[in-house]
Amino acid sequence: MLETSDLKELGLPIRLSRPIRINSARTVAEVIVRPTITSKELNEDFAEITGVASEGFPLSTRVFEFDLQESDHVIVRAAENSLPLIVCRDGEVIVNFDIPATQAFHFADSKRPIYTYLPGFNIHKIPTMIRRPLSNFVQSVYSRRKGSVAHDYSKLPLTSFEFVIFLLNKVLARHLEYKDRVFQWPSGKRAVFVSLHDVDTGGFLGRRERDPLFRIEEKHQIHSTWFIPTGLLTGKKAVEFLLQSGNEVGWHGDKHDHRLPFKPFAEQRVEALKKSFLAEPENFPTGMRTPKLLKSNHLFNLLERSCPALRYDTSFSEGIVPYYLWLNGRQSKILEIPITVPTDIGVYNKLHGIPRSRRYEAILEAQIARTRKLMEVGAVISIVTHPEKDLSERPELLDIYDQYLLYIKSCPDIWFATAGELFRYWTGDSWYSAG
Ligand SMILES: [Zn+2]
């Protein structure tokens, strides 16, 4: 049984350059397969687009029974058992595996940091002067990257599903010699830019409109989302300057406590969120970022069950377009908007071989290398900065961000959206869906 499809049934803003035929025969294998592209030329083309080799990409899916005919041409097969995955027959492209099944994924819970077991210990009570160099040092020891950092960031961190979509489009586009972008954005824009901020301490809410990071974005007319711990939010008044200037406010834990994902702290913090104005309908859709990106299935599960106002998360760096989080083997209602551009301080910590004077420039190079790649494939360009004196508000890093925004503003056909606007568009929950 072959059915024609353009993947519209997935309800996502995806457009293939032409329809495919989907096999729906008996399942012969429910497996993890490494897809092998049989044509060397196509294989190289694909690796160039995505920065990843197809065989290095395990897919968890179902493969169907398939009677190969004499004239069939197998374009992609499984490395393990040679089962045909994508076949060309009389100019049509037949897909012989379950595409939606590749959306499923599992993420491992973060380990609770040892220091959070020390009674009365609070990472923010350690003076910044000591805390920051220490954590930078620890991170640089653990990062074993060598070679060009900018080169590393030209690889795309695709999810399995995105990999499949790009692979299909590449196979289809080759026949037509037609280079269409597969992800669709409003008004025919080629990619979307989203700016996000982690507010870790109270300084920013004291500086308000005078804050240098805030002012750089005002200058470039960027509206963004500021993730703030509920413990710093005395009420809506504290963030009125953000809301009134077209910005959004999201959740960054309660006290920026690194125990957030773990029982019983998750329960207590989620209660604080539910009592804050972030959970009120006027803040819809409320998004979040976990402190230090520590996360657990338990935390998201709890949020989904008990705090319907919380609609999206931005704590993952896998993927280049939004997707629903999978929790304990099921798809949740929480949309993930992944971070796709490396964070200033994250790159800085990887730059040990480079002289100090060159490091800031190298951060910008890495960020632009990734941004170019994302633009090429028409994805989400999302970046995180920290309005903290010892992080993105170091004078050199402010200058890098200013230059980065200057660059992105100079690129044609970019949709500048807030995370909330992107959420509404992707979930079809708005006027954007008209096009
Ligand atoms: Zn933070």
Side-chain angles (χ1 to χ4, degrees), residues 78-103:
E80 288 77 4
N81 46 23
S82 289
L83 286 172
L85 299 177
I86 302 179
V87 176
C88 185
R89 175 180 293 170
D90 306 328
E92 284 188 325
V93 171
I94 305 170
V95 177
N96 189 41
F97 63 93
D98 186 345
I99 298 173
T102 64
Q103 289 175 301

Side-chain angles (χ1 to χ4, degrees), residues 49-52 145 148-158 162 191-193 316-321 338-343 347 350 362-383 404 407-408 411 414:
I49 294 170
T50 61
V52 275
R145 276 167 194 260
S148 156
V149 171
H151 177 79
D152 287 352
Y153 287 108
S154 57
K155 296 183 193 120
L156 290 175
L158 302 180
E162 290 163 355
V192 48
F193 176 78
F316 286 73
S317 48
E318 293 84 31
I320 60 169
V321 293
I339 304 306
T340 58
V341 177
T343 305
V347 183
K350 286 174 185 158
I363 295 172
L364 188 61
E365 277 167 22
Q367 291 179 329
I368 289 181
R370 173 57 67 78
T371 302
R372 282 218 175 105
K373 200 77 208 157
L374 292 163
M375 230 172 320
E376 235 173 80
V377 300
V380 172
I381 302 161
S382 50
I383 190 166
Y404 178 80
Y407 165 75
I408 194 81
C411 298
I414 303 290

Side-chain angles (χ1 to χ4, degrees), residues 302-343:
L302 186 65
L303 284 162
E304 190 194 23
R305 271 193 291 113
S306 68
C307 186
L310 198 288
R311 299 301 300 277
Y312 71 89
D313 173 71
T314 62
S315 309
F316 286 73
S317 48
E318 293 84 31
I320 60 169
V321 293
Y323 52 88
Y324 288 98
L325 279 184
W326 279 66
L327 308 174
N328 303 319
R330 64 166 182 97
Q331 185 176 299
S332 77
K333 291 195 198 79
I334 298 176
L335 189 74
E336 181 60 31
I337 298 180
I339 304 306
T340 58
V341 177
T343 305

Side-chain angles (χ1 to χ4, degrees), residues 40-80:
K40 186 166 173 273
E41 187 200 342
L42 185 62
N43 198 18
E44 285 170 1
D45 266 15
F46 183 75
E48 201 185 312
I49 294 170
T50 61
V52 275
S54 79
E55 277 185 67
F57 219 101
L59 289 184
S60 173
T61 188
R62 296 187 301 146
V63 184
F64 307 112
E65 192 169 56
F66 194 88
D67 284 327
L68 272 178
Q69 296 174 6
E70 191 88 21
S71 60
D72 285 352
H73 171 57
V74 178
I75 304 174
V76 181
R77 60 179 168 75
E80 288 77 4

Side-chain angles (χ1 to χ4, degrees), residues 198 200 252 256:
D198 282 8
D200 296 349
H252 195 38
H256 207 264

Side-chain angles (χ1 to χ4, degrees), residues 89-320:
R89 175 180 293 170
D90 306 328
E92 284 188 325
V93 171
I94 305 170
V95 177
N96 189 41
F97 63 93
D98 186 345
I99 298 173
T102 64
Q103 289 175 301
F105 70 95
H106 166 81
F107 76 89
D109 293 345
S110 305
K111 268 218 181 94
R112 184 171 161 186
I114 296 289
Y115 54 78
T116 66
Y117 289 99
L118 298 173
F121 181 87
N122 177 347
I123 189 98
H124 294 286
K125 294 262 163 68
I126 301 179
T128 302
M129 291 271 287
I130 301 170
R131 167 162 55 97
R132 197 62 66 187
L134 191 71
S135 87
N136 289 357
F137 175 73
V138 170
Q139 282 183 44
S140 68
V141 167
Y142 282 105
S143 116
R144 279 162 288 128
R145 276 167 194 260
K146 292 237 158 60
S148 156
V149 171
H151 177 79
D152 287 352
Y153 287 108
S154 57
K155 296 183 193 120
L156 290 175
L158 302 180
T159 62
S160 297
F161 177 70
E162 290 163 355
F163 169 88
V164 166
I165 295 299
F166 277 120
L167 184 59
L168 278 178
N169 207 48
K170 183 63 208 158
V171 168
L172 293 167
R174 190 173 71 131
H175 286 268
L176 291 173
E177 294 191 355
Y178 175 63
K179 283 190 176 173
D180 202 2
R181 275 184 290 271
V182 67
F183 299 113
Q184 303 296 302
W185 304 110
S187 317
K189 300 281 191 197
R190 66 189 296 197
V192 48
F193 176 78
V194 177
S195 162
L196 310 165
H197 310 280
D198 282 8
V199 178
D200 296 349
T201 64
F204 171 68
L205 290 178
R207 293 187 291 276
R208 302 160 64 93
E209 296 96 331
R210 289 177 290 112
D211 180 80
L213 198 63
F214 179 85
R215 284 173 59 179
I216 286 179
E217 291 202 336
E218 287 259 285
K219 182 175 95 181
H220 293 283
Q221 295 177 303
I222 300 280
H223 294 144
S224 55
T225 310
W226 303 74
F227 297 102
I228 304 177
T230 30
L232 295 176
L233 278 176
T234 41
K236 196 180 157 194
K237 259 215 145 71
V239 289
E240 218 135 55
F241 74 103
L242 287 174
L243 301 173
Q244 280 171 3
S245 50
N247 293 278
E248 294 168 349
V249 179
W251 191 50
H252 195 38
D254 186 44
K255 295 192 169 63
H256 207 264
D257 176 356
H258 296 172
R259 295 174 297 183
L260 172 68
F262 314 106
K263 285 177 198 169
F265 309 98
E267 283 76 358
Q268 296 159 10
R269 310 310 185 243
V270 170
E271 276 313 303
L273 168 63
K274 282 159 68 182
K275 286 192 194 110
S276 77
F277 94 91
L278 293 180
E280 285 167 21
E282 63 175 312
N283 201 55
F284 175 91
T286 296
M288 67 179 276
R289 242 173 98 73
T290 63
K292 209 166 182 276
L293 303 184
L294 294 165
K295 40 198 178 263
S296 69
N297 286 266
H298 172 65
L299 173 66
F300 290 119
N301 211 9
L302 186 65
L303 284 162
E304 190 194 23
R305 271 193 291 113
S306 68
C307 186
L310 198 288
R311 299 301 300 277
Y312 71 89
D313 173 71
T314 62
S315 309
F316 286 73
S317 48
E318 293 84 31
I320 60 169

